[in-house]
Amino acid sequence: MDKRYTLRFLPLFSEDLNEAVDYIALVLQNPDAAMKLIDDVEAAIDHRLQAPEAFEPFHSRRQREHPYYRIGVGNYIVFYVVIGDVMEVRRLLYSGRDWHKIL
């Protein structure tokens, strides 16, 4: 039987998503694109929840107890870890940023 995973979001991920949505909707004045980002991120996470460890871990500069995995969503990257049977979504970062330094 397939392993089932529970989904958990860190508050930092929610802050990242809210910042991205606010920027797209308010600064770029494109609320439709902001809503599409939310839908796309949600769909990508839901899809990955089926087998979150079936992908290559992201090798960061820091030593970590739980390796990071990533999901590309448009111009953004969702970062998550797997802890037992929990897929913990930690960050959403703009792909143009130096996210290697942030993580």
Side-chain angles (χ1 to χ4, degrees), residues 2 4-5 15 18 24 27 30 33 38 40 48-49 51-52 57 59 61-63 75 77-78 83 91 94 99 103:
D2 291 337
R4 298 259 183 228
Y5 293 88
E15 291 173 23
N18 287 335
I24 295 167
V27 177
N30 194 340
I38 293 170
D40 291 351
R48 184 64 65 95
L49 186 61
H59 300 287
R61 296 176 182 167
R62 297 182 191 165
Q63 185 69 22
N75 291 328
I77 305 169
V78 174
I83 304 169
R91 298 298 307 260
Y94 180 66
W99 42 267
L103 297 177

Side-chain angles (χ1 to χ4, degrees), residues 3-15:
K3 185 174 180 179
R4 298 259 183 228
Y5 293 88
T6 303
L7 190 56
R8 178 171 54 217
F9 295 93
L10 288 188
L12 192 53
F13 168 80
S14 298
E15 291 173 23

